[in-house]
Amino acid sequence: MTTSLAELDGAIRRYRDAGIEFLGIHGGDGTIHHTVTAAIQAYGAGALPRLIVLRGGTMNTVARGLNIRGPRGAAHELLAHLVRCIDAGIAPQTTRRHLVKIGERYGLIFGNGVMYQFAKAYYDQGQPHRWSGAQLLSRAVLSALVGGPLARMLMSPFTARVTLDGAPWQHDRFLCIAVASVPEAGYGFTPLPQAVDGLDGLAVTGFHTTARGLVAELPGMYFKTPLHPDRCTIATARRLTVNTEIPLGYTIDGDLYLGDTRMDIAAGPQLEIVVPPRG
């Protein structure tokens, strides 16, 4: 149990020196973000241990995006099952995913625009809970349909010049730009279906539509049907640059940060993440 980033850094260095093979994280998406950032700083160019995501958070979006399922609070069962498999000589199934690198921070899901504004409004409610987030989402959808103030706050468009691996994107007005190594962004919505096992780079989706247009895409994102190209563009890239007129906030795995007018986002080191068998 660590209570500060300094304690986390110390724990990771002790694990590195002990030569651990697996690094288990019992926490939410933000815990994963901070732990992998500390691990990269500690290991440097060395090989990172295989990661075990134990679903200890409220949302567990990263775990769901990796198809790591199970009830909240069952981390001990998941870990015990993994230990039994290893003791029996059964190699654990894994998936390989590049981390998303923003400056010196690393995670698996980056988003600005509506992704940042929604996360901020969610935390501003106090005592964040999955159901309070669902209520906020429902209110935002209804507000978008009638052009209400909540939708205007959460889904305000911004102007940006975006390049992917040096090539410019044709659109310059967005509600959101999402970059990730997992397809899901919360509540079962999958705006990044191109984020698959072994992808040599990152999945990128830009929503260049209206608030109503974004709401119209929600059923497709939930039921995993193709997104409409008139409302969004999906791509893959190893590096992208986002230039905006004013600094924009962004989220990494649910944690909130303030960016600059230029943001460089790149594919970081590749993680090998354990995916326990279902059942």
Side-chain angles (χ1 to χ4, degrees), residues 10-76:
I12 294 294
R13 286 194 296 270
R14 290 195 298 274
Y15 295 154
R16 177 203 61 195
D17 296 343
I20 64 167
E21 297 180 48
F22 297 89
L23 175 61
I25 301 176
H26 184 220
D29 301 313
T31 306
I32 296 172
H33 152 52
H34 288 292
T35 304
V36 297
T37 297
I40 288 172
Q41 292 171 348
Y43 281 80
L48 295 170
R50 284 172 283 185
L51 196 71
I52 307 169
V53 179
L54 294 172
R55 294 182 55 89
T58 301
M59 300 293 290
N60 295 309
T61 301
V62 169
R64 287 175 57 89
L66 294 169
N67 203 30
I68 299 172
R69 307 287 176 167
R72 186 184 177 193
H76 60 291

Side-chain angles (χ1 to χ4, degrees), residues 118 122 125-137 187:
F118 183 89
Y122 169 68
Q125 295 179 123
Q127 297 297 320
H129 188 275
R130 185 174 180 85
W131 292 113
S132 65
Q135 291 172 348
L136 177 62
L137 177 61
Y187 292 98

